[in-house]
Amino acid sequence: MKKENYDIMQKETKNNSFCQNLAKVSVPPSRIKITNALKSLLKDKDFNSITTAEISRVAGVNEALIYRHFDGKRGLLHTVLSEYLNEFVSNLIFDLKGIKGAINKIRKFIWATLHYYDDDRVFSQILLLEVRNFPGYFESETYQIVKQYAGFLMKIIEEGIQSAEIRDDIVPAGIRQFILGSIEHYCLPALIYNKKMDCDILADNLCEILFSGIKKH
Amino acid sequence: MKKENYDIMQKETKNNSFCQNLAKVSVPPSRIKITNALKSLLKDKDFNSITTAEISRVAGVNEALIYRHFDGKRGLLHTVLSEYLNEFVSNLIFDLKGIKGAINKIRKFIWATLHYYDDDRVFSQILLLEVRNFPGYFESETYQIVKQYAGFLMKIIEEGIQSAEIRDDIVPAGIRQFILGSIEHYCLPALIYNKKMDCDILADNLCEILFSGIKKH
Amino acid sequence: MKKENYDIMQKETKNNSFCQNLAKVSVPPSRIKITNALKSLLKDKDFNSITTAEISRVAGVNEALIYRHFDGKRGLLHTVLSEYLNEFVSNLIFDLKGIKGAINKIRKFIWATLHYYDDDRVFSQILLLEVRNFPGYFESETYQIVKQYAGFLMKIIEEGIQSAEIRDDIVPAGIRQFILGSIEHYCLPALIYNKKMDCDILADNLCEILFSGIKKH
Amino acid sequence: MKKENYDIMQKETKNNSFCQNLAKVSVPPSRIKITNALKSLLKDKDFNSITTAEISRVAGVNEALIYRHFDGKRGLLHTVLSEYLNEFVSNLIFDLKGIKGAINKIRKFIWATLHYYDDDRVFSQILLLEVRNFPGYFESETYQIVKQYAGFLMKIIEEGIQSAEIRDDIVPAGIRQFILGSIEHYCLPALIYNKKMDCDILADNLCEILFSGIKKH
DNA sequence: CATGAATGAGTGTTCATTCAT
DNA sequence: TATGAATGAACACTCATTCAT
């Protein structure tokens, strides 16, 4: 079995939790111990200043297992990030089911993303600040999922244009960029200076500005 | 000649540029090469992941000179930072001369600070993000200058209160904190995602909110 | 397995040599190579002027192993010293069993110590000259063993006082100090100028003076 | 003027103080500053852990002067030691003038040497402990002076044998070795453990044993 | 005679990674 | 799957020494 294929099974998500019983592949416990160790350590310090020795000590497993299960220290981080993002995107897709209309979907999309940033500051900070400087990030699976996430928003926008909910004289990529950019813009200071953020108000504010601009009237 | 005393001579500032011809103290070229090398490297990467070997290689000088001229790698950063900040504060003080009234001074103060953040992204990013986590930062000269800068704003506010330009029922430290916090809040995303910022509009917006709150009516 | 726990197994001592076959813990050969390398180098030069590179080269192992197996260069010395001292103290305690009377025990104690100093000049020299100047020596395990050794002598003296073999009007710590000081005083020149020392005569001389002073008559 | 030729002029000795006015060669003050700096530093720490930077800082001169005036750091030490020894030997030779008889001369020789060891512990410690391990010691001028000193004693002994004061059935080198060895033996513990030594009693004791053995009766 | 600048060779130590079992 | 041992390359930093002036 290939190294990186345990991803989906490791943590329950709304989408695939029911598959658990079917999948008879057992995830080695040491694998989970390691990812948990890294997650726990990331709460306290920079990724670069976490050592493999530290990870293995916290995980209570042999250091070399990091290389059996993952592609070294950086590979471990990317795996952990991918798993995390995967879960978020899966949940997001699930949450948007049953919502009617592009505008409503976008509202939900924004709120969910803000909530996600608020909820897990550790990963959000890594995603927003750290990971972009890593060599090879733009070839990583993590980045693929981010693109998938952005593509998902894109489809909603295009859907809205086709259903005449959204103006057709703005390029969709522009709208997507505005949304994603604004979200980051809102979250960044809160993440960095560790302030609480009020997702409801923030989402409302953003949507008001956004929709007043893009809604077909 | 003592280690850290070249500060003022190394870069022209509005205040002391005319002294340049008088001051017969020669700054060793290697010292400038090293600071430039660090500045240049900081554009591309984290301070912690820059090595002394790298600095000396880029500077084209011997590694040991980093220790002759500065107090090691961190000392080098703090020196460079201090020099930069010093220049900014000197210029700021110079710029504020001849301006009448606390309100006008504050407007200039805000605009100049925004402009400064906009102008040198490398240092601003370090100042806003990196340096605060360094052990010993709050004992460093860098922090002293930051305090001097904040104290300078404080004096303007107090001057405004005494001249009855500014309400006397708000504690000055609160006003100062609001100003500095807002500036940071505005600049952070622009710095991190490297977006252009329009200092004029930003300053206007901030001043409007601020002055409507603190002006004596 | 923890760093410092090989102590007892590495070298046969009278007390635990018979356990050797039972203890299934294998001491990494590199560990022994390193200690031997240090011991060998100490014959020729000062501890401070021995480099880790030198140690690893003589040992024929990787330099980093010094840090895997021991707490750095100084830790290595203290470990080696402790092992050696431990063996000596263990043997001494064993040798004193079955001897009746405090006076006889003290005689044996003196003789054994002189013999020990005579036997391993390298360590004795370090113990008598070098180690005392090291920062942290008085917190080291080495010093703990030295204290244990001195405490052991103390107990014999007190035993002698209670059994009325030794005068009770001299403070025991004084007697202990006289014994230990005299031994050092005798051994020092022999150690430094590498002269043979006649333990039998030396012990006799010392005991004669000592016992004439402390025996209850 | 050659590097090492200021030796004799630098410090007044009984023998050549009167030459001072004649010798019109001026000793550069920086030279004296450096030697004094080293002497002063040696009181507190190991020669090996004294740096050239430290020496020059204490001396208040430029570091490179150590290489103008002396043969580097080690050369400086040897120069300083030689000067010191030279002074001692000169004084010793002067002191022995006017004394009649080999036995009397030897007594004076012993007393003076003990006194010298007692008087300047710093140099005595270096001479007795440190310098012997230095590579090139046995080719150094320092060692030449030590040999001269030993040779001087030798001549007294031979003189005593010829004048029939001393037995002629003991090889002179043996007597010399006994004297020098005994002196060292006496002084070592006092030097290392920094105890005061009573030169008069020590000299008496040693002479009693010595003369009872070598005097012709 | 004196000096500030410069340097090469090392210093102890760390760490991500590999290997043999 | 798991592990203890091993390692090469790097790390920040130091120092005796040389050089140009």
Side-chain angles (χ1 to χ4, degrees):
Chain A
M1 181 173 230
K2 263 197 67 219
K3 259 181 186 173
E4 307 294 335
N5 278 96
Y6 298 119
D7 298 15
I8 309 142
M9 307 150 202
Q10 200 159 329
K11 223 180 171 182
E12 283 196 35
T13 69
K14 291 184 187 170
N15 286 331
N16 53 28
S17 59
F18 64 93
C19 303
Q20 282 282 261
N21 305 331
L22 303 173
K24 284 289 163 236
V25 191
S26 64
V27 184
S30 64
R31 201 179 193 277
I32 300 171
K33 279 184 197 161
I34 291 170
T35 51
N36 286 339
L38 177 59
K39 285 176 194 173
S40 152
L41 284 165
L42 280 171
K43 281 171 198 153
D44 294 330
K45 50 197 332 191
D46 218 39
F47 174 72
N48 279 320
S49 52
I50 295 171
T51 68
T52 50
E54 225 171 348
I55 297 170
S56 67
R57 205 185 51 244
V58 170
V61 303
N62 188 279
E63 208 177 335
L65 278 181
I66 297 172
Y67 297 85
R68 285 247 164 275
H69 289 313
F70 312 94
D71 252 9
K73 194 182 134 181
R74 176 139 310 164
L76 167 61
L77 178 68
H78 277 131
T79 302
V80 167
L81 278 177
S82 299
E83 286 177 9
Y84 203 79
L85 268 179
N86 243 329
E87 189 201 330
F88 167 64
V89 174
S90 301
N91 284 345
L92 182 59
I93 292 174
F94 182 85
D95 284 346
L96 286 168
K97 285 189 178 160
I99 294 184
K100 276 277 159 300
I103 292 292
N104 287 331
K105 279 182 180 166
I106 289 172
R107 184 184 297 274
K108 178 80 182 178
F109 186 99
I110 289 170
W111 187 90
T113 302
L114 286 171
H115 189 76
Y116 160 78
Y117 280 140
D118 186 41
D119 209 46
D120 200 314
R121 267 112 197 292
V122 173
F123 281 107
S124 304
Q125 213 162 320
I126 295 171
L127 237 34
L128 255 52
L129 290 174
E130 247 176 309
V131 98
R132 302 178 191 214
N133 306 318
F134 284 177
Y137 165 67
F138 294 103
E139 285 75 42
S140 73
E141 203 200 338
T142 310
Y143 182 62
Q144 297 307 314
I145 305 173
V146 170
K147 266 178 33 188
Q148 183 195 334
Y149 160 83
F152 192 69
L153 175 58
M154 195 64 153
K155 272 200 285 195
I156 301 176
I157 295 168
E158 282 164 348
E159 180 195 317
I161 293 176
Q162 262 180 344
S163 67
E165 273 186 285
I166 296 175
R167 287 166 54 179
D168 58 2
D169 57 346
I170 311 178
V171 23
I175 299 173
R176 190 197 52 186
Q177 219 40 47
F178 176 82
I179 296 172
L180 298 178
S182 300
I183 292 173
E184 285 190 354
H185 201 279
Y186 271 124
C187 295
L188 211 47
L191 282 174
I192 288 173
Y193 300 121
N194 217 29
K195 295 180 206 144
K196 189 82 201 115
M197 45 196 264
D198 189 325
C199 295
D200 298 316
I201 294 177
L202 246 45
D204 279 353
N205 284 351
L206 179 49
C207 288
E208 196 180 340
I209 299 169
L210 176 66
F211 296 151
S212 77
I214 63 168
K215 259 191 200 155
K216 210 156 186 177
H217 45 142
Chain B
M1 181 171 232
K2 271 199 59 224
K3 257 181 188 173
E4 308 294 335
N5 276 95
Y6 298 120
D7 298 18
I8 310 141
M9 308 145 201
Q10 202 159 333
K11 228 179 168 183
E12 283 195 36
T13 68
K14 292 184 189 169
N15 286 333
N16 53 28
S17 58
F18 65 91
C19 304
Q20 208 87 110
N21 304 331
L22 302 173
K24 285 288 165 241
V25 190
S26 64
V27 183
S30 66
R31 199 182 193 272
I32 300 169
K33 281 185 197 160
I34 291 170
T35 52
N36 285 340
L38 177 60
K39 285 176 193 174
S40 151
L41 284 164
L42 279 171
K43 281 172 198 151
D44 296 330
K45 47 184 359 176
D46 215 40
F47 174 73
N48 280 319
S49 51
I50 296 171
T51 69
T52 50
E54 221 170 351
I55 297 170
S56 68
R57 207 183 51 244
V58 170
V61 303
N62 187 281
E63 205 178 334
L65 277 180
I66 297 173
Y67 299 87
R68 283 247 173 281
H69 289 313
F70 311 93
D71 250 10
K73 193 183 134 180
R74 175 138 314 163
L76 166 60
L77 178 68
H78 276 131
T79 302
V80 167
L81 235 39
S82 299
E83 288 177 6
Y84 202 79
L85 268 178
N86 245 330
E87 189 201 331
F88 166 65
V89 173
S90 301
N91 286 345
L92 181 59
I93 291 173
F94 183 85
D95 285 345
L96 286 167
K97 286 188 178 160
I99 295 186
K100 276 273 160 301
I103 292 292
N104 287 332
K105 278 182 182 164
I106 289 172
R107 184 183 298 275
K108 178 81 183 180
F109 187 100
I110 289 170
W111 186 90
T113 302
L114 286 171
H115 188 76
Y116 160 78
Y117 278 141
D118 186 41
D119 207 47
D120 201 312
R121 267 99 198 305
V122 173
F123 282 111
S124 305
Q125 210 164 321
I126 296 170
L127 236 34
L128 255 52
L129 290 174
E130 249 175 307
V131 100
R132 299 175 195 216
N133 306 317
F134 285 175
Y137 164 66
F138 294 103
E139 284 76 42
S140 71
E141 203 202 338
T142 311
Y143 181 63
Q144 297 307 314
I145 305 172
V146 170
K147 263 175 38 186
Q148 183 193 337
Y149 160 81
F152 194 66
L153 175 57
M154 194 66 152
K155 271 199 284 195
I156 300 175
I157 295 169
E158 282 164 348
E159 178 195 318
I161 293 176
Q162 258 178 346
S163 67
E165 277 185 282
I166 297 176
R167 289 168 50 182
D168 59 2
D169 56 345
I170 311 178
V171 23
I175 300 174
R176 189 197 53 187
Q177 221 40 48
F178 175 83
I179 296 172
L180 298 178
S182 301
I183 292 174
E184 282 191 359
H185 204 276
Y186 271 124
C187 294
L188 211 48
L191 283 175
I192 287 173
Y193 301 120
N194 216 29
K195 294 179 205 146
K196 189 82 203 116
M197 44 196 264
D198 190 324
C199 297
D200 298 316
I201 294 178
L202 245 44
D204 278 352
N205 285 350
L206 179 49
C207 287
E208 196 180 340
I209 300 170
L210 175 67
F211 295 151
S212 76
I214 64 168
K215 260 189 199 157
K216 210 158 186 171
H217 45 140
Chain C
M1 180 169 232
K2 272 198 58 224
K3 256 178 188 175
E4 308 295 335
N5 277 93
Y6 298 120
D7 298 19
I8 310 143
M9 307 145 202
Q10 200 159 333
K11 225 178 168 183
E12 284 196 34
T13 69
K14 290 185 187 168
N15 286 333
N16 52 28
S17 59
F18 64 92
C19 304
Q20 209 83 112
N21 304 331
L22 302 173
K24 285 286 163 242
V25 191
S26 64
V27 182
S30 65
R31 200 181 193 273
I32 299 169
K33 280 185 197 160
I34 291 170
T35 52
N36 285 340
L38 177 60
K39 286 176 193 172
S40 150
L41 284 164
L42 279 170
K43 281 172 197 150
D44 296 330
K45 47 181 5 174
D46 214 42
F47 174 72
N48 280 321
S49 50
I50 296 171
T51 69
T52 50
E54 221 170 352
I55 296 171
S56 67
R57 206 184 53 243
V58 170
V61 304
N62 187 281
E63 207 177 336
L65 278 179
I66 297 173
Y67 299 86
R68 284 246 172 280
H69 289 314
F70 312 93
D71 252 10
K73 193 184 137 182
R74 176 138 311 162
L76 166 60
L77 178 68
H78 277 131
T79 302
V80 167
L81 234 41
S82 299
E83 287 178 8
Y84 201 79
L85 267 179
N86 244 330
E87 189 201 330
F88 167 64
V89 174
S90 301
N91 285 347
L92 181 60
I93 291 173
F94 183 85
D95 284 347
L96 286 168
K97 286 189 177 158
I99 295 186
K100 277 273 159 304
I103 292 292
N104 288 331
K105 279 182 181 165
I106 289 173
R107 183 183 298 273
K108 178 79 181 181
F109 187 100
I110 289 170
W111 186 91
T113 302
L114 287 170
H115 187 77
Y116 159 79
Y117 280 141
D118 186 40
D119 208 45
D120 201 312
R121 267 92 200 310
V122 174
F123 282 110
S124 305
Q125 210 164 321
I126 295 170
L127 236 34
L128 255 51
L129 290 174
E130 249 175 306
V131 100
R132 299 173 195 218
N133 305 319
F134 284 175
Y137 165 65
F138 294 103
E139 284 76 42
S140 71
E141 204 202 338
T142 311
Y143 181 62
Q144 296 306 316
I145 305 173
V146 170
K147 265 175 37 184
Q148 183 194 335
Y149 160 81
F152 193 69
L153 174 58
M154 194 66 154
K155 271 200 284 195
I156 300 176
I157 296 169
E158 282 165 348
E159 179 195 317
I161 294 176
Q162 257 178 348
S163 67
E165 277 185 281
I166 296 175
R167 288 166 52 180
D168 58 2
D169 56 346
I170 311 178
V171 22
I175 299 175
R176 189 197 54 187
Q177 221 39 48
F178 175 83
I179 296 172
L180 297 179
S182 301
I183 292 174
E184 284 190 358
H185 204 276
Y186 269 125
C187 294
L188 212 47
L191 283 174
I192 287 174
Y193 301 120
N194 217 28
K195 295 179 205 146
K196 190 81 202 115
M197 46 196 263
D198 191 324
C199 297
D200 298 316
I201 294 178
L202 245 44
D204 279 352
N205 284 351
L206 179 49
C207 287
E208 195 179 340
I209 299 169
L210 175 67
F211 295 150
S212 77
I214 64 169
K215 260 190 199 157
K216 209 156 185 174
H217 45 138
Chain D
M1 182 172 228
K2 263 199 68 224
K3 260 182 185 171
E4 308 293 336
N5 278 94
Y6 298 119
D7 297 17
I8 308 141
M9 308 150 201
Q10 201 158 330
K11 222 176 170 183
E12 283 196 36
T13 67
K14 292 183 186 171
N15 286 331
N16 52 27
S17 60
F18 64 92
C19 303
Q20 230 42 161
N21 305 331
L22 302 174
K24 282 289 164 237
V25 191
S26 63
V27 183
S30 63
R31 201 179 192 277
I32 300 172
K33 281 184 195 162
I34 291 170
T35 51
N36 285 340
L38 177 59
K39 286 176 192 172
S40 154
L41 284 165
L42 279 170
K43 281 171 197 154
D44 294 330
K45 49 193 340 184
D46 216 41
F47 174 72
N48 279 319
S49 50
I50 295 171
T51 68
T52 50
E54 224 170 349
I55 297 170
S56 67
R57 206 185 52 244
V58 170
V61 304
N62 188 278
E63 208 178 334
L65 278 180
I66 297 172
Y67 297 85
R68 285 245 166 276
H69 289 314
F70 312 93
D71 254 6
K73 195 182 134 181
R74 177 138 309 163
L76 166 61
L77 177 68
H78 278 131
T79 303
V80 168
L81 278 177
S82 300
E83 286 177 9
Y84 203 80
L85 269 178
N86 243 328
E87 188 201 330
F88 167 65
V89 174
S90 301
N91 284 345
L92 182 59
I93 291 173
F94 182 86
D95 285 346
L96 287 168
K97 286 187 177 160
I99 294 184
K100 277 275 159 305
I103 292 292
N104 287 332
K105 279 181 180 166
I106 288 172
R107 182 182 299 273
K108 178 81 181 176
F109 186 100
I110 288 171
W111 186 92
T113 302
L114 284 171
H115 189 76
Y116 159 78
Y117 280 140
D118 185 40
D119 209 44
D120 201 313
R121 267 106 198 295
V122 173
F123 281 108
S124 304
Q125 214 162 318
I126 296 170
L127 237 34
L128 254 52
L129 290 173
E130 249 177 306
V131 97
R132 304 180 191 212
N133 306 316
F134 285 175
Y137 165 67
F138 294 103
E139 285 75 42
S140 72
E141 203 201 338
T142 311
Y143 182 63
Q144 296 308 314
I145 305 172
V146 170
K147 267 177 33 187
Q148 183 195 337
Y149 160 83
F152 192 69
L153 175 58
M154 195 65 153
K155 272 199 286 195
I156 301 175
I157 295 167
E158 283 165 346
E159 179 195 316
I161 293 176
Q162 256 173 355
S163 67
E165 273 185 285
I166 295 175
R167 290 166 52 181
D168 58 3
D169 56 346
I170 310 178
V171 23
I175 297 174
R176 189 197 53 186
Q177 219 41 46
F178 176 83
I179 295 171
L180 297 179
S182 300
I183 291 173
E184 285 190 354
H185 202 278
Y186 270 125
C187 294
L188 211 46
L191 282 175
I192 287 173
Y193 300 120
N194 218 28
K195 295 180 206 145
K196 189 84 202 114
M197 44 196 265
D198 189 325
C199 296
D200 298 317
I201 294 179
L202 245 44
D204 278 354
N205 284 350
L206 179 49
C207 287
E208 195 181 340
I209 299 169
L210 175 67
F211 296 151
S212 77
I214 63 168
K215 261 191 198 156
K216 212 157 184 174
H217 45 144

